[in-house]
Amino acid sequence: MLPSAFINCPRLSAVLLLFGFVPPGFAQDAVPLTAASGTAENKESPVLLDPFYVKTPIADATLIEADGSKVTSVDSEQWKELNAQDLASALRRVPGVTVSRYGIVGSYGGYEGGAIFIRGHGTGRPGSEISLMTDGIPRFVGVWTHPILDMISIDTAQRLDVYKNPQPVRFGNMAWGAVDAVSKRVEREGDVTTRAEVSGGSFGTGAFVLEHGAKTSKTDYYFAFADRLSDGHRDNADGETRTLYGRLGYHFSDELSLSFQMNANTGWANDPEPEGVSLPIVERFETDTYFYLLTLEHEGAEAHGFAKLYYDNGSMDWRQWAKPPPAAAPYQNLRTQTDFDNYGMRALETFDFSQAGSISTGLDLDFYGGKSTESYQFFGEQVAPRTTFWNLSPYVNIQQSFFDAWKLTPSAGIRYNQSRYFGGDLAGQVALSLEHGRNKVFVQYSHAYNYAGVYASIFSDRWGIGSSWKDLDPELLDHWEIGFQSTWGAFEFECSFFYDEVKDSIVLSPPPPFPGLIENLGGYHREGSDGSITWRPDESWAFFVGACWLNPSRDDLPNTPRWTSSVGVQWSIIENLRFSVDYQYVGDQIVLSPRWGTGRAEIAGYNLFNAHLAWTCLNTPKQTIEIFISGENLTDENYELRKGYPMPGISGTLGVRMSF
């Protein structure tokens, strides 16, 4: 049982975690990831677990790579235990990650009604400093260049990889942090799997999921369909998401394969408005997206790599109640309709020039953009014609290990980006790691950039300031980090300390007064630390404690709570009966985007307790049936993620999962 201090004092838990004594040999063995692919080596598709075996709660593992990348993975079995309905609920307990949302199902993509923040990054809207990805391909509305959560479904992912520190070499633009959804597939030859899930619960929330996949000696395929919906915990807090996923792969040999996948995602969510606010219409945000990916992969004795071609298109429909300039008409209906197209290629080749050294070379070419129309009830239409930006980015990364007992690995990488409108810029990173047994210490420095998107040209045109947006410099981030990982018996521990310095932040100042402005304005710095402890005393118990501390130079930086922490316990009470409970603390924070420089508000910290009980009532080699019940916010905490938007109180879900 966890000490009561961890439950009663979340700040104490964070302090003990981040600054406590660490015995010698106390660390986790890191598994290397394939460079720039976003997928861990030797990771297999989820399989049915032994009913007496429990997963590590909250997160599967945090891996420290040779280049200093810190990657926390959460797999599908874990977010099922958390009763997650989408990306935000699957990741909100990961140390260093916070979220924003209006309701239970559906991401309101306008403002910050559905967003993920990593160590405080990701607050800029429009635009974003972090990426959401599918198999290493960024997913965003090409005009506004910030991620929309409903574009990616957890029902098509076998794992979510959270890159906590910047990835300027691996991913390039808009990568001060990233979340990569690794798509489902069947890995082992001869495996056939069929799964279904049906659930229902409080506030009219329900889900139906069906998936099927198989692999032969030459082919593999996977299909998934999911529908999730909720009436919401408040009037007009309802939403729905639907997804359809298909994958087909062909293996020419053990070393060469070709695959094609398609994701179709639709989602909508309403804005319930702050308490006490009543509008003549219900504001609504809808997305409809289609993603196609063709991948050629090879795995040789001395080299391995991939080439990917992708196409991502869709539409966004945002219905609002707008306030025009003071001298004009009264409030009116406003509808923003956006059609976007993103497409390009990603190629990477890694050469192993020795047993302990490798060099990776890659090339990214990305086109993104679209058109947008604003339709006012009284003012008519404002049409932004189709505009396309592009980035061409070659990059290289090299690493070499020395010695055996004490393995010393320096690494360095550089990426050059040529933009269609903003010229050329360099980004890079260097790292040094030292391993001894299952202990690792690392230090890393990276220099990352983030360009303005198509939105800059749209606002410049509407505000009458011409092409001045082309003079914008990229937002810049210099990042330093030092940390370690260890394993000691049944304990695993990881912790790192980091410092961020941001320069040339892009700020939008709409009229009045006229004209508006789009400019690089100032910057800020932030120091912090995050880490976690995992304890597995035996196969029937697993414990997780994680925390993050942030200390920004400005008190008004949004989505940067000073303290967050999470605790998870999973226990196989008896064979076929599994129980898990988790706790999350998020401190006071400022919310709303700094991109606009106005409208910020403070929300109070909160504590959340959730629990999940699962009974495997049938478990044979060919069939499994599991009945589960989940309870969320069990203490009926009154909390907000946006000012004036109370979140759900105590709620429950009952469901069944079947595997064949």
Side-chain angles (χ1 to χ4, degrees):
M1 188 172 182
L2 289 174
S4 60
F6 280 95
I7 301 298
N8 297 326
C9 186
R11 298 192 178 191
L12 174 60
S13 71
V15 171
L16 292 175
L17 169 63
L18 297 178
F19 307 108
F21 172 72
V22 183
F26 190 94
Q28 175 179 332
D29 192 19
V31 178
L33 273 74
T34 54
S37 69
T39 57
E41 292 179 351
N42 302 322
K43 283 274 190 177
E44 297 180 343
S45 58
V47 295
L48 180 65
L49 297 175
D50 185 309
F52 197 67
Y53 180 86
V54 296
K55 295 286 289 185
T56 304
I58 310 295
D60 191 35
T62 295
L63 311 177
I64 305 297
E65 300 182 305
D67 65 357
S69 298
K70 186 172 182 178
V71 190
T72 296
S73 296
V74 182
D75 74 20
S76 59
E77 298 300 326
Q78 287 161 323
W79 66 66
K80 288 176 183 176
E81 297 291 315
L82 301 173
N83 195 37
Q85 303 291 333
D86 55 16
L87 284 173
S89 52
L91 295 175
R92 68 180 177 86
R93 300 162 181 87
V94 173
V97 175
T98 55
V99 303
S100 175
R101 65 186 314 154
Y102 289 159
I104 300 170
V105 173
S107 168
Y108 193 94
Y111 304 121
E112 289 175 0
I116 292 175
F117 313 102
I118 302 175
R119 291 176 170 177
H121 295 306
T123 58
R125 280 176 172 240
S128 178
E129 318 90 75
I130 67 170
S131 287
L132 296 185
M133 300 181 293
T134 297
D135 294 332
I137 306 298
R139 306 288 309 280
F140 57 89
V141 174
V143 173
W144 309 108
T145 58
H146 58 252
I148 303 296
L149 300 191
D150 285 350
M151 294 177 67
I152 297 178
S153 169
I154 60 174
D155 297 301
T156 67
Q158 72 179 40
R159 190 176 76 253
L160 300 172
D161 291 335
V162 182
Y163 292 81
K164 292 187 175 180
N165 44 19
Q167 301 295 318
V169 177
R170 185 185 308 236
F171 298 131
N173 185 43
M174 206 167 72
W176 296 7
V179 176
D180 189 17
V182 181
S183 298
K184 288 181 176 177
R185 60 187 293 184
V186 178
E187 298 278 1
R188 290 190 291 260
E189 183 179 337
D191 277 4
V192 179
T193 180
T194 301
R195 300 179 182 180
E197 176 181 334
V198 180
S199 66
S202 304
F203 315 119
T205 303
F208 172 74
V209 182
L210 178 65
E211 53 190 279
H212 172 72
K215 182 177 182 180
T216 68
S217 60
K218 289 293 185 181
T219 62
D220 72 89
Y221 66 87
Y222 210 99
F223 163 85
F225 170 79
D227 187 6
R228 298 178 181 272
L229 73 163
S230 177
D231 292 336
H233 61 295
R234 301 174 57 200
D235 290 342
N236 303 321
D238 47 338
E240 182 177 12
T241 61
R242 288 184 178 180
T243 187
L244 180 65
Y245 165 74
R247 170 195 160 87
L248 178 63
Y250 184 79
H251 304 264
F252 300 98
S253 66
D254 291 339
E255 297 182 351
L256 185 65
S257 65
L258 180 70
S259 66
F260 175 77
Q261 72 178 68
M262 182 275 293
N263 284 266
N265 293 286
T266 63
W268 61 269
N270 289 331
D271 184 347
E273 305 299 337
E275 286 187 305
V277 174
S278 178
L279 298 180
I281 68 167
V282 177
E283 297 190 313
R284 184 183 180 99
F285 194 97
E286 299 180 5
T287 55
D288 190 5
T289 63
Y290 302 88
F291 175 71
Y292 309 90
L293 177 62
L294 182 67
T295 304
L296 180 67
E297 296 178 278
H298 82 94
E299 185 78 33
E302 298 180 351
H304 57 89
F306 60 78
K308 299 182 178 183
L309 297 175
Y310 72 91
Y311 179 60
D312 192 7
N313 82 308
S315 62
M316 183 187 84
D317 189 352
W318 185 9
R319 280 165 276 183
Q320 309 169 68
W321 187 245
K323 180 181 180 181
Y331 285 82
Q332 59 185 308
N333 288 316
L334 167 62
R335 186 173 185 178
T336 302
Q337 294 173 287
T338 303
D339 295 311
F340 72 93
D341 297 275
N342 303 341
Y343 53 93
M345 60 85 65
R346 299 281 170 114
L348 172 72
E349 189 69 16
T350 299
F351 302 93
D352 300 317
F353 56 78
S354 71
Q355 288 186 340
S358 66
I359 181 169
S360 299
T361 60
L363 178 67
D364 297 348
L365 177 59
D366 301 300
F367 296 85
Y368 55 97
K371 64 179 181 179
S372 179
T373 301
E374 286 195 343
S375 303
Y376 290 87
Q377 182 179 356
F378 302 129
F379 296 159
E381 291 186 346
Q382 292 183 344
V383 179
R386 184 171 295 276
T387 303
T388 300
F389 285 16
W390 55 255
N391 290 314
L392 177 64
S393 302
Y395 62 96
V396 61
N397 189 81
I398 186 170
Q399 63 184 56
Q400 172 69 55
S401 297
F402 301 93
F403 316 119
D404 293 323
W406 294 81
K407 186 166 71 172
L408 183 68
T409 306
S411 68
I414 190 169
R415 175 187 284 260
Y416 174 76
N417 189 92
Q418 181 65 40
S419 168
R420 179 177 184 179
Y421 293 111
F422 301 113
D425 291 278
L426 284 172
Q429 63 190 64
V430 294
L432 184 67
S433 66
L434 179 64
E435 290 184 73
H436 179 63
R438 303 189 71 185
N439 303 281
K440 173 180 283 190
V441 179
F442 76 96
V443 60
Q444 184 214 52
Y445 165 76
S446 60
H447 176 74
Y449 57 85
N450 180 48
Y451 289 107
V454 175
Y455 66 85
S457 67
I458 292 176
F459 288 127
S460 293
D461 180 65
R462 289 177 180 171
W463 300 345
I465 53 179
S467 60
S468 60
W469 59 272
K470 294 182 180 179
D471 298 326
L472 288 171
D473 294 321
E475 300 174 306
L476 299 176
L477 169 66
D478 288 298
H479 172 87
W480 292 263
E481 187 160 357
I482 184 171
F484 58 94
Q485 261 188 332
S486 313
T487 297
W488 185 41
F491 286 90
E492 297 175 352
F493 182 90
E494 58 84 15
C495 181
S496 62
F497 302 83
F498 53 87
Y499 178 84
D500 291 336
E501 185 171 349
V502 177
K503 303 175 183 176
D504 295 330
S505 296
I506 296 173
V507 175
L508 308 177
S509 300
F514 290 90
L517 292 175
I518 303 177
E519 56 185 344
N520 294 106
L521 186 64
Y524 58 90
H525 62 263
R526 173 169 44 216
E527 58 189 355
S529 178
D530 62 20
S532 62
I533 297 175
T534 301
W535 179 39
R536 291 189 54 88
D538 57 49
E539 289 190 344
S540 64
W541 285 91
F543 299 84
F544 177 93
V545 179
C548 179
W549 168 72
L550 298 173
N551 185 33
S553 60
R554 290 168 42 185
D555 293 335
D556 62 345
L557 281 184
N559 304 107
T560 309
R562 186 171 293 269
W563 284 103
T564 58
S565 61
S566 56
V567 178
V569 181
Q570 195 170 139
W571 174 33
S572 185
I573 305 172
I574 58 174
E575 187 172 357
N576 298 323
L577 187 62
R578 190 176 66 257
F579 176 72
S580 40
V581 61
D582 68 87
Y583 158 75
Q584 180 188 30
Y585 168 76
V586 177
D588 300 348
Q589 59 181 310
I590 300 294
V591 295
L592 296 185
S593 173
R595 187 78 76 204
W596 298 97
T598 59
R600 303 177 196 178
E602 183 175 357
I603 60 173
Y606 56 86
N607 300 269
L608 296 179
F609 289 86
N610 312 290
H612 181 89
L613 182 66
W615 172 47
T616 306
C617 58
L618 177 64
N619 190 54
T620 70
K622 293 186 177 181
Q623 189 177 25
T624 300
I625 298 178
E626 179 181 89
I627 299 173
F628 67 91
I629 183 170
S630 293
E632 297 193 42
N633 193 6
L634 296 178
T635 59
D636 206 25
E637 176 90 342
N638 183 15
Y639 73 105
E640 300 174 323
L641 300 179
R642 284 284 303 273
K643 190 69 175 179
Y645 285 80
M647 295 305 292
I650 187 170
S651 61
T653 301
L654 178 66
V656 58
R657 300 187 182 105
M658 296 168 284
S659 300
F660 306 95

